[in-house]
Amino acid sequence: EAQVTQNPRYLITVTGKKLTVTCSQNMNHEYMSWYRQDPGLGLRQIYYSMNVEVTDKGDVPEGYKVSRKEKRNFPLILESPSPNQTSLYFCASSQQGMVVGQPQHFGDGTRLSIL
Amino acid sequence: KQEVTQIPAALSVPEGENLVLNCSFTDSAIYNLQWFRQDPGKGLTSLLLIQSSQREQTSGRLNASLDKSSGRSTLYIAASQPGDSATYLCAVRPNNDMRFGAGTRLTVKP
């Protein structure tokens, strides 16, 4: 089954404790992306990757890191989480970097609470 | 900077009604526009994608139109059903990034 898998689905942690949210897709997609969703603000793009070893900042990259060492994985790293990073996070992937208009496939989300 | 707006923020209709959801964007230089559905506690499901060169796309009871010059898109849902209740989001692709509206929360009452 084609899917984008995020882990963990839920996490409560404390300020300053490094964490990683994993994202994996089994569709051999080139393009992967991370979003955060906040009430009233909609989804905002954090980082995206056009292919292995190619990453770019989205709208709200501050406080986040990503890496793309393999095509299927695109982890989101919070080196020193702060309460303003409490949010619902989504990973998504699509074929051919989206320029040709392939639809994105989304994971089920990760709800992060930073205390 | 591209801004995407969806109006109304919430909509409640009786079952069977035809309805229109609106999406507007400030910069007409886009590659495509996509409509998504989001159910509570779930990710987004792609409904329709319209390339910048297209005017509309149809899938079952859904029809999406795109008027790039005026920066507007509509999602038409025919004969609405309670199962259509969800939040509907539109997103535009200005470059390699993607920009979303805040969504319209639709409730279809039996």
Side-chain angles (χ1 to χ4, degrees), chain B residues 43-103:
Chain B
L44 279 67
T45 301
S46 179
L47 297 173
L48 290 164
L49 184 147
I50 312 176
Q51 304 285 3
S52 62
S53 58
Q54 297 175 324
R55 298 284 294 185
E56 67 177 344
Q57 284 285 332
T58 297
S59 175
R61 295 182 294 108
L62 305 180
N63 175 277
S65 68
L66 174 63
D67 183 344
K68 247 184 38 165
S69 60
S70 67
R72 297 167 68 88
S73 176
T74 61
L75 179 66
Y76 174 83
I77 302 177
S80 59
Q81 303 169 358
D84 294 331
S85 297
T87 297
Y88 291 80
L89 299 126
C90 72
V92 298
R93 174 77 196 286
N95 201 337
N96 290 322
D97 57 339
M98 197 163 191
R99 295 189 180 272
F100 284 80

Side-chain angles (χ1 to χ4, degrees), chain A residues 9 31 35 37 40-43 45 48 50 59 88 90 97-104 106-108, chain B residues 1 31-32 34 36 38 41-46 49 51 89 93 95-103:
Chain A
R9 292 290 316 279
Y31 186 97
Y35 302 89
Q37 186 175 33
L41 296 176
L43 272 88
Q45 196 167 32
Y48 60 92
M50 299 290 286
D59 241 358
L88 179 58
F90 288 101
M98 298 179 66
V99 174
V100 296
Q102 299 299 315
Q104 287 196 94
F106 278 74
D108 283 339
Chain B
K1 179 181 171 182
Y31 284 109
N32 58 55
Q34 201 165 350
F36 294 88
Q38 184 177 25
K42 293 288 190 181
L44 279 67
T45 301
S46 179
L49 184 147
Q51 304 285 3
L89 299 126
R93 174 77 196 286
N95 201 337
N96 290 322
D97 57 339
M98 197 163 191
R99 295 189 180 272
F100 284 80

Side-chain angles (χ1 to χ4, degrees), chain A residues 16-73:
Chain A
K17 186 176 180 183
K18 180 180 178 180
L19 67 91
T20 299
V21 185
T22 64
C23 174
S24 179
Q25 50 93 6
N26 62 0
M27 296 166 279
N28 202 36
H29 285 166
E30 291 85 4
Y31 186 97
M32 296 187 74
S33 181
W34 276 103
Y35 302 89
R36 60 178 289 173
Q37 186 175 33
D38 302 288
L41 296 176
L43 272 88
R44 293 177 292 169
Q45 196 167 32
I46 303 171
Y47 271 95
Y48 60 92
S49 169
M50 299 290 286
N51 214 322
V52 176
E53 302 291 0
V54 181
T55 62
D56 276 296
K57 297 178 181 179
D59 241 358
V60 288
E62 294 78 20
Y64 303 94
K65 283 176 57 177
V66 293
S67 69
R68 188 89 182 273
K69 294 185 171 59
E70 307 164 277
K71 199 172 188 179
R72 63 181 292 126
N73 296 323

